Amino acid sequence: MRRSDDTLPVTCLLAGTARGVVLKLTEPLNAWGGLDADSGVIVHHSHPQRGQCVAGRVLVMPQTRGSGTNAQVFAQAWANGRGPLAVVLGAPDYVLCAGAVVGRELYNVTCPVVIAEPAAHDALNDGDGVTVGATHGSATVRIEAPAVSKPRQD
């Protein structure tokens, strides 16, 4: 669903602006035991993006998995400077938002959190350079530098 201007409408859960490179997760992430808050690396043994680092990235994922501890793990990652710059979700996640609010209030780290409809979520690719702009009145994700696909090596 890439629009002609590469701007995708999203819904704001937590306001802010961030610019970075997309890390797109293909499955939900349970941060408790699945994300190392000290390094920002996904460590869950069966997650498809195990070994990838969320630090300094625009994290795009369908949703989180698990309980309220996700808020604590993400808040600690932001406190350590190893959290994502922004989060684009496929479904609302108020537990993750609670962690982002803690990061903002206690650690002075602003991480916008937005929800993308399925077509907009699908339009975001791992490696895209994007800007997330979210206010309580409007929110968008602008694709500024589409990911360059790697040539196949047969």
Side-chain angles (χ1 to χ4, degrees):
M1 175 202 150
R2 289 195 190 224
R3 294 171 21 162
S4 59
D5 62 358
D6 290 316
T7 299
L8 307 171
V10 293
T11 302
C12 176
L13 289 180
L14 193 61
T17 302
R19 185 177 186 181
V21 176
V22 167
L23 171 61
K24 188 167 186 178
L25 305 187
T26 56
E27 290 185 9
L29 176 66
N30 184 348
W32 183 256
L35 180 67
D36 180 346
D38 291 328
S39 66
V41 172
I42 297 170
V43 295
H44 190 275
H45 65 91
S46 65
H47 197 279
Q49 281 75 43
R50 181 179 184 197
Q52 295 289 315
C53 185
V54 305
R57 302 288 295 272
V58 174
L59 182 60
V60 177
M61 61 181 167
Q63 60 194 23
T64 61
R65 179 179 290 152
S67 66
T69 55
N70 283 327
Q72 295 168 317
V73 176
F74 274 101
Q76 190 61 50
W78 282 307
N80 293 337
R82 304 306 295 163
L85 298 172
V87 180
V88 180
L89 297 164
D93 187 326
Y94 299 106
V95 171
L96 177 77
C97 286
V101 169
V102 168
R104 179 177 292 183
E105 296 299 317
L106 294 183
Y107 309 120
N108 201 31
V109 176
T110 299
C111 178
V113 180
V114 299
I115 306 166
E117 294 297 324
H121 192 271
D122 291 346
L124 293 166
N125 297 306
D126 197 58
D128 283 346
V130 300
T131 297
V132 177
T135 67
H136 295 293
S138 69
T140 60
V141 174
R142 180 167 176 74
I143 301 169
E144 297 176 345
V148 178
S149 47
K150 297 177 182 177
R152 284 183 50 177
Q153 296 182 4
D154 296 317

